[in-house]
Amino acid sequence: MSPFAYCPRDGTTLVPTRIDGRDRPACPVCGFADFLHVQIGANAIVERTGSVLLVRLNYGPRDGRWSLPGGLVENDETPEEAAVRETAEETGFDVELDGLLATYMRPGAPILVVIYRSHIVGGSLRIAPEELSEAAFFPRNELPALAELAWPSTVHGLDAWRAFERSRP
Ligand SMILES: [Zn+2]
């Protein structure tokens, strides 16, 4: 089921068009075709002396649960920029990314989460009080229980972090 009846670019009525083996609503004017549309979330694994930074949400149905710092990617930035920006906004820490750690997406769910490893290069802990009640570093073997984690992507990111092995010289 497509979310679009009209072209989101120019308002033309979309018509079913065979593309890549499926009939998809497509715009005969500009060529827009309704493939999967998702939001992109960008998260940071902020590691310090072997521990990972988690933030505790203070709103909504996940109130009280722990999440990785991060948020949705804006139209005018890359996922990398979003991960750095959201981490600074939420925690006060300036981070530098150390590469892609994992991605998370479930079929049918309209979000793709991209998770980067990072380390702190500046700033100090100062949480965003409208979103968070606290932030804390957790050692690998003392992470919050599964039921205390906010999102499936949080679980996935922490699993990937625990499994990650640095290449040794
Ligand atoms: Zn169009």
Side-chain angles (χ1 to χ4, degrees), residues 91-116:
T91 72
F93 286 122
D94 299 321
V95 297
E96 204 169 85
L97 301 186
D98 297 313
L100 179 65
L101 176 69
T103 59
Y104 179 84
M105 194 177 127
R106 270 181 310 191
I111 183 163
L112 167 70
V113 180
V114 185
I115 304 156
Y116 299 94

Side-chain angles (χ1 to χ4, degrees), residues 71-140:
L72 294 177
V73 179
E74 300 283 4
N75 232 337
D76 58 355
E77 63 185 356
T78 65
E80 289 85 356
E81 288 166 346
V84 170
R85 174 183 56 76
E86 287 281 352
T87 298
E89 288 173 3
E90 290 184 355
T91 72
F93 286 122
D94 299 321
V95 297
E96 204 169 85
L97 301 186
D98 297 313
L100 179 65
L101 176 69
T103 59
Y104 179 84
M105 194 177 127
R106 270 181 310 191
I111 183 163
L112 167 70
V113 180
V114 185
I115 304 156
Y116 299 94
R117 295 172 47 245
S118 74
H119 63 277
I120 296 169
V121 293
S124 56
L125 187 60
R126 189 191 63 248
I127 60 164
E130 68 282 4
E131 295 177 59
L132 308 175
S133 57
E134 60 178 311
F137 285 91
F138 291 85
R140 264 167 218 263

